[in-house]
Amino acid sequence: MPEKKTIERARRARRQGKAPSTQAGEFVHEEIEHVREGRHGARSAKQAIAIGLSKARRAGVDLPPPPRGRASAATRRRAEQDLERGHDHSHRKPSARRSRATLEALKREPRAAASTRALSRQAKSSRHRRSTSRKTQSSR
């Protein structure tokens, strides 16, 4: 469940008429902070970003589902459902044993995914995938 301040920031961005990706950025930022704090791990910066975007969809940000080929069909379907309903699937409470096991496993995950270097590498690689016109457009 996203923190209250994250949802507030995203709502403020929405009221200001900012793009859905900007609104979602708040959730991604929160996720990066969580990885840095060791609340849970992520194998890569890309994974941390994906978790943040997923939370944003569940919170009702108008983000499209991931493109074909980037995510499995099941993941895309879930993302579409989250977008339609604005639902959070966290109402199903896992057993205490599973919850503890998950927490312990996540604590063992590396923190390097949220390092400045990893995020810089991720930003550069995603920039390379964009066309010149898209880069110009995003810098304006």
Side-chain angles (χ1 to χ4, degrees), residues 5-72:
K5 66 179 181 184
T6 304
I7 294 170
E8 283 305 314
R9 282 190 192 133
R11 283 192 184 141
R12 189 180 314 130
R14 188 179 196 168
R15 278 196 305 274
Q16 291 173 351
K18 299 209 169 150
S21 59
T22 307
Q23 297 166 39
E26 292 299 333
F27 292 90
V28 174
H29 185 263
E30 179 191 61
E31 209 49 47
I32 296 292
E33 287 304 311
H34 284 185
V35 175
R36 283 180 178 162
E37 290 165 4
R39 282 204 220 169
H40 64 74
R43 292 286 161 104
S44 64
K46 194 182 269 191
Q47 186 183 32
I49 292 165
I51 295 167
L53 292 176
S54 175
K55 282 186 175 181
R57 284 188 191 95
R58 289 175 181 190
V61 176
D62 272 344
L63 275 176
R68 280 188 184 86
R70 280 274 177 86
S72 69

Side-chain angles (χ1 to χ4, degrees), residues 6 11 25 50 54 62-63 65 70 78-79 101 106 114 119 121-122 130 137:
T6 304
R11 283 192 184 141
S54 175
D62 272 344
L63 275 176
R70 280 274 177 86
R78 266 197 310 273
L106 290 172
L119 293 171
R121 197 182 309 127
Q122 164 61 27
R130 292 207 300 265
Q137 188 181 0

